[in-house]
Amino acid sequence: MKKNGILPVFKRASIIFGGLFDLATKRNRLSKIHRLEQESSFWEDSQRAAKIQREKSLLSSTIESFEALVETKEEFEILLEYGEEGDEESAAQALDVFDKLERSFDLAEHKTLLSDEMDSHNAIVTLNAGAGGTESCDWASMLYRMITKWAEKNDFSLSEMERQTGDAAGLKSATLLIEGPYAYGNLKSESGIHRLVRLSPFDSNSRRHTSFASVFVSPEVDDDIEVEIDEGDLRIDVYRSGGAGGQSVNTTDSAVRITHRPSGIVVACQNERSQLQNKAMAMKILKSRLYEKAMEEKRAKQAEIEAGKKDIGWGSQIRSYVLHPYKMVKDLRTNFESPNPDRVLDGDLDGFIKSYLRWKALGPSSS
C-alpha cells in the first residue's frame, strides 16, 4: 500500500472533516433557506431572492460533494482493512479507490477553502509597476499576461478597464475585471508585491536586475452591499482615453480617474464609450477596493496580522521569481515552489492558489 501518499491526505482530511467543513452549520443554513422559500414574501424582493438562490446552489453542491467523499473514504477504509489482513484483491481495489479519493478530496477541499463571504464573486485585478522604469513596466506586463492566461485556461471572461503603457515598454498600470464563479476566491492569492530577478533584456551588458510590481485583487461588490462614500472625499479627473487606433480610439476626454483622499486609493476606467459610463465603472471599482480594505482592517483587529498580509509596500513581497542564475518561483508566505518559471508565467498558478488557501485556513504547516 502507498502509505506515504495516504497519510498526508488523511492528515488534511481529518482537519477538514473535523471542523473546517462544518457540515452541520451548512445543513442548518440549507434547511433555513428551504423554509424561507415557502414564505410568500420571499420572492417579492427579487434581488435578495436571487442572492439566496445562489447561496443555496453553492451549499447543495458542496454538501453533495462532501457526502460523496465520505462514502469513498469509508469504502477505502474497508478495503484497506481487508488488504492489510492479506486479501490481495482488496488491496489492489484499495489503491484504485485511493486514487479516486485523492482526486475527489482535492476538489472538495478546494470548495471548502473557498468559503469566505466574497469568494464566489468576480475579481477586480489592478497591477502597478514599481520603481525601476522600463524594467518594472515590463515585469508588470508579464504579470498581466500570467493572470490573463490563468483566467483564459479556467474559462473566465476578461474585461480591461484601464491601461497605462510604459514610456518604452510594458505597463505602468492596468485594471482587469475577471468574471466567473470564484474568480476572487482563487485570485486573492496574487495580492501583494511580486519580485523578479533576471538578466535584463534592456541592458546591453546583460546584467542581472531585480524588478518589483504590485497586484491588488478585490471582489466585485454587489449593489446590495453598502459602502459609504462621501462625494467630498473624491477628486475626479477626466482625460483622453488611449486606444488601439482606428475607429476604437476615443477622441473625447471620457476617461475618468477617481482619487479617494482619505484612503489614498486611486482608480480609473477608460474602456466605456462615455464619461458617465466610465465614472460609474470607476465608482464600482472604488467601492470594491474600499470594501476589501474594510474587510482587511476587520480581520487585522480580530487577530495579529498574518505574515504576508502587511500593507503593500516595496519591502513586503509575497513571491519571488528567479530566472537567473537558477530557475525558481517561490511563494514567501506558503513556501510553495515551482522549478519551472516559464510554466508559472504562462498561467500555471493552481499550485500557488491551493497552497495559499490551505495556508490561510489551516496554518503554515498545511501548505
Side-chain angles (χ1 to χ4, degrees), residues 24-271:
T25 298
K26 286 178 171 59
R27 281 177 171 155
N28 288 338
R29 175 58 182 163
L30 192 58
S31 296
K32 185 177 180 181
I33 290 174
H34 286 315
R35 291 194 297 272
L36 283 172
E37 289 174 326
Q38 305 307 312
E39 298 175 5
S40 57
S41 60
F42 175 77
W43 303 102
E44 292 174 3
D45 186 342
S46 59
Q47 217 173 40
R48 175 174 173 267
K51 183 179 179 181
I52 292 176
Q53 287 295 295
R54 289 196 297 272
E55 182 187 2
K56 174 188 173 182
S57 176
L58 172 62
L59 285 169
S60 298
S61 172
T62 308
I63 290 169
E64 286 170 10
S65 296
F66 184 82
E67 289 174 341
L69 178 63
V70 170
E71 287 181 11
T72 306
K73 177 176 177 287
E74 290 172 350
E75 180 185 1
F76 169 76
E77 288 172 335
I78 292 169
L79 290 168
L80 178 63
E81 183 178 345
Y82 284 130
E84 289 179 338
E85 291 175 356
D87 185 338
E88 293 184 5
E89 184 178 351
S90 293
Q93 289 177 351
L95 289 175
D96 291 337
V97 172
F98 177 74
D99 289 336
K100 178 184 174 183
L101 174 64
E102 192 169 24
R103 290 193 299 272
S104 300
F105 178 75
D106 283 342
L107 290 172
E109 181 192 38
H110 198 64
K111 281 186 178 181
T112 303
L113 295 175
L114 290 171
S115 58
D116 286 352
E117 180 184 1
M118 304 300 285
D119 280 349
S120 62
H121 286 229
N122 299 329
I124 295 173
V125 181
T126 302
L127 302 100
N128 288 284
T134 301
E135 291 285 346
S136 292
C137 289
D138 188 55
W139 176 220
S141 70
M142 291 168 68
L143 290 173
Y144 178 101
R145 179 182 180 277
M146 179 183 77
I147 289 171
T148 56
K149 284 287 186 182
W150 176 86
E152 289 165 358
K153 288 176 181 179
N154 288 277
D155 297 323
F156 289 97
S157 61
L158 299 161
S159 304
E160 186 177 275
M161 296 175 161
E162 176 268 339
R163 169 193 287 259
Q164 186 178 2
T165 57
D167 294 333
L171 295 171
K172 288 184 179 177
S173 67
T175 302
L176 288 165
L177 172 62
I178 300 181
E179 297 177 278
Y182 295 96
Y184 171 69
N186 283 291
L187 284 173
K188 64 186 180 183
S189 64
E190 303 308 295
S191 270
I193 307 302
H194 296 245
R195 171 179 175 261
L196 172 69
V197 179
R198 64 172 174 174
L199 293 179
S200 170
F202 304 101
D203 187 331
S204 58
N205 295 315
S206 295
R207 289 172 295 190
R208 190 169 64 180
H209 283 250
T210 299
S211 307
F212 297 91
S214 70
V215 178
F216 190 90
V217 184
S218 57
E220 185 184 33
V221 176
D222 291 338
D223 292 335
D224 58 346
I225 293 178
E226 295 291 335
V227 178
E228 292 185 10
I229 300 177
D230 187 338
E231 290 283 340
D233 290 336
L234 304 180
R235 173 184 166 182
I236 301 176
D237 299 304
V238 296
Y239 58 98
R240 184 157 296 181
S241 297
Q247 294 181 349
S248 64
V249 171
N250 225 323
T251 57
T252 61
D253 291 340
S254 62
V256 175
R257 181 185 299 110
I258 300 177
T259 303
H260 184 253
R261 293 189 181 96
S263 66
I265 293 173
V266 180
V267 299
C269 186
Q270 65 181 29
N271 70 316

Side-chain angles (χ1 to χ4, degrees), residues 191-195 212 307-319 332-333:
S191 270
I193 307 302
H194 296 245
R195 171 179 175 261
F212 297 91
K309 297 297 286 181
K310 300 175 284 186
D311 290 338
I312 291 177
W314 300 123
S316 59
Q317 58 264 21
I318 62 162
R319 194 176 299 153
L332 305 178
R333 301 159 299 181

